[in-house]
Amino acid sequence: MALLAIVGLGYAAAADDVGKKPGGSPPTAVLDLPKAGTLAGRLVDTPADQNGPRTTFLWQSPAFTKPFEFAVDGIVGIRFPQPGERGLSKAAGDWRIELADGDQFMGGIESIDERHVVATIGSAESPARVVVRRDAVKGLYRGEDGSTFVGTGTLAAWQQGKPGTWHEQGGRLMSAAVGAKLFRDFKTGNRTRYDLSMSWQQRPTLQIAMGMGDAEQTPGSYRLELGPDGMVAVRQERDSADGNGRADLEPCGDLPENSLMVTVFVDQQAGRLAVMLPDVREPVADLTIPPAGGKPGGGVQVTVVTGTAALNSLRVSPWRRGSLSRDDAREGLIRLRDGEALPAVVEAMERGSDVAVVRAVADAGGREPRRIPIDSVEEILFPVAGERTGDGRRNVRVTDRYGSHLAGTLLRVERETVWLAHPACAEPIPLPIAT
C-alpha cells in the first residue's frame, strides 16, 4: 500500500534539485521513490479511469515540461509541505470518528441517523463533507478531551539521543542515523493507550518503547521491536534490588512493506502490554508480568537501530474500560463529560440541532427517548453490528494535517483535490491537497 501523507515507478531528481524550484521557492510536494529516490513537484489533474479505481497518477516536476505517469504501487509516498503552527487553520471540529477497521476521521459531526454518520473533516474554512455508514463506525470520541497528546509536535519538544539525528519533514519526524533515539515524556495515568503511525522506504530495525519514566531508562519495560524478520512485543521487568528480572515476548506478525499503524495498551499497575493492529479483531500480543517497582511514566522512545524511519502521528490517551475487544460496547454506550456512562444508543441527531436523541438499551420502546446536548458528550460507542467482511484491496493511505487517516483506492485528482473511494462511504471522499 502506498502512503499519501500518497502511497507507485519513477525518476529520481538530483539531490541538489530536491526541495527547490527555479528561483528558490519551495516545491509543492516531494515524491518518495524506492531506494531513497525523491522528485520534487506537484500532483496534477488525473482523470478518473472508466474501468475502475486508478492505478497510476500524474506528477509534474519543475525540471520537466510534461508530467510523468507513476504507478501507485511503485512509489513509497508523497509528502506535502506543512505550515507552521501559526499558519495552520482551525480544524472542522474536535471529534474523532473511529471506524471498525481502524481508520479515523478528525472533524465535526453534522448529523446521525439509523444508517449514516455525517461528518465534516479538514479545515473549518473549507470543510469536506463525508457520509459514513453507521455500521462501519466503532465510536465517536472528543479529539482533545481525554487525550494527553495528538500529533507529532515540533522536533524541539522532543529529546534526541544525539542532536541532529532527527529532522522534521512534511509534518513528520524522520531519521536515517544508526542508533538515533527520540524521546518525549507524557503525563499519563497507570493505564495508557498509544496510537502510532510510522513509515519507511525500506524495512528498518526499530525499537519503540512506551511507559518510560525518562530518556535514560533502559529501553522500556513495554516495547515493540520491529525488524526484517517481523514484529515482536516485549514485556520486561527488572528488580530494582539486584538488577535481575523477568521478560516475556510474543511475535506479532510480519513487518509491513512501507508503513505501520499500531495501537499499544499499557497497564503499569498490572504490568500488562497488549498490541492491536487495525485489521485484526483480537490482540496480536498480550503479555503480563507483575511490576516489581521501578519508575513508571508515560514516555515514548523510538530508536532506529538500522535503516530509516518516520514518525507520522502519535496519539496518547487514557485506556478506559480495560477491554481490548472491539466488542466492548456491543449494546452501545454514551459517556458524558461529567463521568456518567449511559448504556444507550443514539437514535438521531439532526443537522444543526446539536442535540442527540438517545434511547437506553433496556428500553425497547415505551418511554420517550432522552435528549442530550452533544456538547455534554465525551464519547459514543456504537452497537457492534457483527463480524466484518473483507473490504477489498486498497492502494493508498492518506493522512491529513488534522489527524484523519484512512486507506482506500485512488479515483482521480481534480482541482487541487484527491478523490478517494473508501468501503465505509458510498460517495467518494474529497481530500484537498492543501490539507
Side-chain angles (χ1 to χ4, degrees), residues 166-217:
W166 290 81
H167 63 279
E168 296 179 63
Q169 193 172 70
R172 303 183 294 171
L173 305 181
M174 306 181 67
S175 180
V178 175
K181 294 183 179 181
L182 189 68
F183 172 80
R184 183 165 178 172
D185 194 13
F186 300 99
K187 297 184 183 301
T188 64
N190 286 324
R191 301 188 344 158
T192 309
R193 169 177 171 161
Y194 301 88
D195 293 277
L196 299 101
S197 172
M198 301 198 68
S199 61
W200 44 82
Q201 295 189 12
Q202 293 180 315
R203 286 190 180 99
T205 300
L206 306 175
Q207 186 180 88
I208 306 171
M210 287 137 291
M212 298 178 65
D214 55 59
E216 301 302 321
Q217 181 177 323

Side-chain angles (χ1 to χ4, degrees), residues 214-235:
D214 55 59
E216 301 302 321
Q217 181 177 323
T218 301
S221 53
Y222 308 86
R223 66 182 188 268
L224 282 177
E225 297 184 352
L226 315 180
D229 295 331
M231 302 186 293
V232 178
V234 180
R235 169 71 181 106

Side-chain angles (χ1 to χ4, degrees), residues 77-100:
I78 297 175
R79 291 176 280 118
F80 298 95
Q82 301 296 304
E85 292 185 4
R86 293 183 179 180
L88 184 63
S89 59
K90 185 178 179 180
D94 63 350
W95 285 91
R96 177 168 63 92
I97 299 96
E98 184 174 327
L99 307 187

Side-chain angles (χ1 to χ4, degrees), residues 91-114:
D94 63 350
W95 285 91
R96 177 168 63 92
I97 299 96
E98 184 174 327
L99 307 187
D101 63 5
D103 285 357
Q104 69 178 30
F105 298 104
M106 296 293 294
I109 302 174
E110 186 176 287
S111 65
I112 303 173
D113 61 26
E114 70 277 5

Side-chain angles (χ1 to χ4, degrees), residues 2-7 12-15 17-21 26-43 57 59-60 75-83 167-176 198-201 258 308-312 397-401 418 432-435:
L3 179 70
L4 239 87
I6 281 174
V7 186
D17 293 334
V18 175
K20 297 180 181 180
K21 274 186 178 180
T28 301
V30 175
L31 179 68
D32 288 323
L33 302 164
K35 299 182 180 179
T38 57
L39 183 62
R42 61 186 177 87
L43 273 175
F57 63 94
W59 182 261
Q60 179 65 64
I75 70 165
V76 175
I78 297 175
R79 291 176 280 118
F80 298 95
Q82 301 296 304
H167 63 279
E168 296 179 63
Q169 193 172 70
R172 303 183 294 171
L173 305 181
M174 306 181 67
S175 180
M198 301 198 68
S199 61
W200 44 82
Q201 295 189 12
N258 296 123
T308 65
L311 177 61
N312 301 323
R397 176 169 295 283
V398 182
T399 300
D400 79 4
R401 62 182 55 162
V418 175
I433 291 174
T435 62

Side-chain angles (χ1 to χ4, degrees), residues 277-289:
L277 297 177
D279 55 351
V280 179
R281 296 184 63 84
E282 299 298 328
V284 294
D286 196 345
L287 307 168
T288 298
I289 295 179

Side-chain angles (χ1 to χ4, degrees), residues 89 117 139 239 285 294 328 332 357 382 421:
S89 59
V117 174
D239 193 307
D328 57 2
V357 179
F382 286 86

